[in-house]
Amino acid sequence: QVQLVESGGGLVQAGGPLRLPCATSGRTFSSYAMGWFRQAPGKEREFVAAINWSGGSTDYADSVTGRFSICRASGQNTVYVQMNSLKPEDTAVYYCAARSYGTSRSEWNYAYWGQGTQVTVSS
């Protein structure tokens, strides 16, 4: 079992940065691929970014490529998403998730989820 807790959400102006940590506990952090997803009001949850167990492979949605960066700090059992040049359309609840195998863009492939953290980008 893996427990995930996101934090770092809040209100930020367009163009600004924000970093979201996802702290994990439970089974060995290093054996899991981690992903970030988001869900805006009235929309389906969508893939944002993912990183494999070693940190050597990452994947990003087209909408965030070049602006967002995912990394993992194994010593802290934490995965981060650094969000730069934020836009109002990035407003959403952001979730982190974990799965036992490689990265995936499908939420259905992730077995463990955090409770989410709200990010609001003002124009």
Side-chain angles (χ1 to χ4, degrees):
Q1 194 75 5
V2 178
Q3 292 79 43
L4 309 174
V5 179
E6 306 95 334
S7 61
L11 176 64
V12 61
Q13 287 190 332
L18 200 63
R19 188 179 75 158
L20 304 182
C22 172
T24 72
S25 61
R27 303 183 78 174
T28 306
F29 173 68
S30 60
S31 64
Y32 287 87
M34 304 296 296
W36 282 95
F37 292 79
R38 67 187 182 186
Q39 187 168 22
K43 295 187 177 181
E44 295 185 350
R45 189 155 54 186
E46 65 175 1
F47 169 76
V48 174
I51 188 166
N52 74 337
W53 67 274
S54 69
S57 177
T58 57
D59 187 23
Y60 297 94
D62 290 345
S63 60
V64 306
T65 296
R67 300 188 299 122
F68 290 15
S69 178
I70 187 171
C71 67
R72 60 193 302 157
S74 295
Q76 301 168 15
N77 287 352
T78 301
V79 63
Y80 299 90
V81 61
Q82 175 68 45
M83 306 185 294
N84 297 324
S85 303
L86 282 162
K87 304 175 181 180
E89 51 263 44
D90 294 319
T91 295
V93 177
Y94 283 72
Y95 299 89
C96 72
R99 68 187 303 262
S100 298
Y101 302 101
T103 59
S104 173
R105 293 189 171 201
S106 173
E107 62 177 303
W108 305 108
N109 290 334
Y110 288 80
Y112 305 103
W113 290 84
Q115 82 290 347
T117 186
Q118 175 71 47
V119 173
T120 303
V121 184
S122 64
S123 58

